[in-house]
Amino acid sequence: MARLIGYMANRADRLRDAFDQERAAITALPADLRSAWGIGFYQGDEVLHKKQPTPDGAVQWSAVTENVRTDCAIAHVRLATVGGFSVDNTHPFRLRQWLFAHVGTLTAFEEIHDKLRADLPDFLRRNIRGSSDSELFFHWILAGLHEVNQLEAQTPSPSVVLQAISNAVAKIEGLVGPARAPSTLNMLLSNGRGMFALRHGGSFGYVQRTGVSDPTNPDAAAEPEARPGSPLLRYVMLVAGGPDVPPGYEGLDDQQLLFVNRDLEIRLHSL
């Protein structure tokens, strides 16, 4: 089973601890004995990747995040429904400062693929490297940002980004048509300064935490206070891809958008 994971925090040194605390929610289901995975994250102005593009055992997030210092990350465990296992098809995808990952499938993708690709601006069409439906979805969001001259903006208005996501969904669903089942378009998008999520089919949940518990003792109290000079860890975790919203998480409504800003404030919007 695929997993889509988003993380934003107030500290860059606690990713592994947060992933460990959320391990029950972010671990792929037992059927995922062999998994391909990727994680994209921000360190200052750099956008970095770690990827295992071919199935190679169950994902060990504690090992993946061991030396990753970041306060904003998107991680993905892939079940290859469209496009084979390769680096070019491994999420998250990146263009400039933007990271994107998706779980789900575009309905009738083989039928709409050529039209989706042909209608993109030429420079975005040339940037597509893989064969997945997810990468095309990402590039349609980028096309929406480009149309309003916000693709390279350092801090685009959240409303502009949300509109670009909405327009990309409308483009896809318009090509699919009302007679077919809607596509599953659960996705995460970030530029390092905010994170955007969409639930469109399937389930999608989020949780806000302060502090972490001892992972070896779930009954222990959360850390009482931070070290001098270090704030207590706060983070938002977003998880999609399972059959249900993880226990203790808030569920997004279908066709609902979520935005997390740099202060870890959450805002909800209808598609």
Side-chain angles (χ1 to χ4, degrees), residues 70-140:
T70 188
D71 56 10
C72 182
I74 293 177
H76 187 270
V77 181
R78 184 162 188 253
L79 177 66
T81 54
V82 177
F85 289 107
S86 69
V87 172
D88 290 337
N89 288 333
T90 302
H91 307 224
F93 301 103
R94 178 197 170 189
L95 180 69
R96 297 170 191 163
Q97 77 273 29
W98 294 101
L99 285 173
F100 171 91
H102 159 237
V103 288
T105 304
L106 274 63
T107 300
F109 181 63
E110 291 186 0
E111 295 179 32
I112 69 174
H113 169 272
D114 290 348
K115 180 66 172 173
L116 274 177
R117 189 177 180 113
D119 287 351
L120 283 169
D122 185 60
F123 80 99
L124 287 175
R125 186 167 57 250
R126 292 196 309 269
N127 186 68
I128 295 173
R129 300 287 183 263
S131 56
S132 72
D133 51 351
S134 305
E135 191 177 15
L136 263 176
F137 181 18
F138 175 39
H139 280 71
W140 268 101

Side-chain angles (χ1 to χ4, degrees), residues 1-5 19-32 35 58-62 77 239-243 246 249:
M1 179 67 69
R3 277 292 184 276
L4 177 61
I5 305 160
F19 268 48
D20 198 17
Q21 179 161 258
E22 306 300 331
R23 60 191 179 278
I26 67 177
T27 301
L29 298 181
D32 241 359
S35 304
V59 181
Q60 302 296 327
W61 286 121
S62 59
V77 181
V239 179
Y249 279 54

